[in-house]
Structures are given as structure tokens and as C-alpha cells.
Amino acid sequence: MDIQKVKVLLTKAEIEAKVKELAQMLSRDYSGKNPLFVCVLKGAAVFLCDLIRHMDINLEVDFMAVSSYGNSTTSSGVVRILKDLEYSIEDRHVIIVEDIIDTGLTLDYLRENLLSRRPASLKIVALLDKPERRTVEIEADYRGFCIPDEFVVGYGLDFKENFRNLPDVCVLLEFG
Ligand code: 5GP
């Protein structure tokens, strides 16, 4: 991993403060509801782990994997379920945990797919949002940071499976 290829956009401390804030809002809104957090692998895994450790209510987690980018940095527009949920979400209060909303295609697909399984409610928490790039109408109910239209890595986000372990969110300067 070549550290000089990246520029810090959001520091570890800024991310931690924001994740705590989101966790407090979610704890308040979902107290007594035993919500199910659906983490979208792999990018949102780091966010999920930090988020739930700041929450002080009963909750459950499950995981889904969908294909969106493959190994390139532009959206293919094709969304495919690579790994489905383990449990039924019927009558559950479900929160989709996403790392980043870009074009919105992935979340739009996921939202429709999960709504067809008749949850009691369905909301979205996303750490990062690139609103400039949206091609479908979709917003996070709980949003961490709005960021410019740049390709970011770190805090779970990758480029060709690298950089997920960076503690900061960084802009990738070279795609070599
Ligand atoms: P969308 O379907 O909204 O265009 O893209 C959503 C997915 O694309 C995210 O879950 C993430 O995996 C990937 N993605 C979008 N923008 C970025 C980015 O700036 N960096 C990285 N690493 N992945 C991104």
C-alpha cells in the first residue's frame, strides 16, 4: 500500500465524532424497537462496527453483499446480490448501513428489494454522500458527511481491495 498516493479528507477524530453523533440519534429513535442493521459489505463493515459500539439499545446485525463497482471506479449500473440476508426482515425495523452514496443505484435497488420483504420500517444510514453524482432520487435518513465528487478510500472503502485499513477517509490521488 502506497501511502503517498492519498490525501486525508476526513480525519479519524472527525469520523469518530460523527459516528458517535449518528449512534446517539439512532439509539434515541430505535429504543425499544430491536432494530436490524443491514450492513452492505464490504465497504460499510468498519462503519457498522464503530456505529453499533456507540449504541446502547438492543439491536441485531445482518449482512448483504452486492456488486456495484467491481474493480473500477465508475458505476456499472448493474446491481447483483452476491450474498443475501440470513434472516427474514418481515415486520422488523430495518436500517441499511452504507459506506457511501454515489449515483444512488445500489441503494435504490437495495431499498426496493428489502421493501418487497415487508419490513415494519426501512431507513438508511450512510457515512458519506456525494450528492453531485446522483442519478436516482434517494437520500440517507441519517447522513455523516457530504463530500465532493472525488474517489475516496479508507475507513472500509477500497480501491481494488486496498486501503480499507486506513483510519482516515482519503482522496485517492493516483489510480496506479
Ligand atoms: P452507487 O450505486 O451509489 O453509485 O455506489 C455505491 C457504492 O459504490 C458504494 O457502496 C461503494 O462501494 C462504491 N463507491 C462509490 N463511490 C465510491 C468512492 O468514492 N470510493 C470507493 N472506494 N467506493 C465508492
Side-chain angles (χ1 to χ4, degrees), residues 16-33:
E16 193 184 353
K18 185 65 80 178
V19 171
K20 262 190 198 165
E21 209 180 288
L22 292 170
Q24 276 163 6
M25 284 193 253
L26 287 161
S27 291
R28 184 195 61 208
D29 295 353
Y30 285 90
S31 173
K33 293 183 174 169

Side-chain angles (χ1 to χ4, degrees), residues 40 68-69 75 98-107 130 133 147 150-153 157-159:
V40 187
S68 52
Y69 274 84
S75 180
E98 249 300 19
D99 48 5
I100 186 165
I101 314 179
D102 188 22
T103 63
L105 286 166
T106 310
L107 260 184
K130 288 198 272 194
R133 301 247 315 155
I147 62 166
E150 287 183 288
F151 193 81
V152 291
V153 294
L157 288 149
D158 76 311
F159 175 64

Side-chain angles (χ1 to χ4, degrees), residues 33-94:
K33 293 183 174 169
N34 190 28
L36 178 71
F37 284 80
V38 170
C39 174
V40 187
L41 294 170
K42 299 173 192 171
V46 174
F47 176 38
L48 174 88
C49 293
D50 283 348
L51 187 70
I52 61 171
R53 280 181 296 173
H54 288 300
M55 294 187 62
D56 55 3
I57 61 167
N58 284 339
L59 59 86
E60 295 175 27
V61 299
D62 205 344
F63 297 88
M64 266 184 107
V66 295
S67 71
S68 52
Y69 274 84
N71 274 340
S72 114
T73 58
T74 49
S75 180
S76 63
V78 178
V79 181
R80 203 158 50 92
I81 294 184
L82 304 176
K83 183 212 170 300
D84 207 342
L85 295 174
E86 199 173 333
Y87 301 111
S88 162
I89 59 167
E90 195 167 347
D91 295 329
R92 297 293 308 269
H93 292 285
V94 176

Side-chain angles (χ1 to χ4, degrees), residues 84-137:
D84 207 342
L85 295 174
E86 199 173 333
Y87 301 111
S88 162
I89 59 167
E90 195 167 347
D91 295 329
R92 297 293 308 269
H93 292 285
V94 176
I95 302 146
I96 302 174
V97 182
E98 249 300 19
D99 48 5
I100 186 165
I101 314 179
D102 188 22
T103 63
L105 286 166
T106 310
L107 260 184
D108 191 49
Y109 171 84
L110 263 181
R111 181 177 59 178
E112 293 313 310
N113 184 293
L114 295 185
L115 279 175
S116 74
R117 307 182 196 194
R118 293 185 302 214
S121 67
L122 184 68
K123 300 268 178 175
I124 297 163
V125 56
L127 181 70
L128 306 172
D129 187 7
K130 288 198 272 194
E132 285 171 53
R133 301 247 315 155
R134 205 73 94 252
T135 58
V136 288
E137 229 176 88

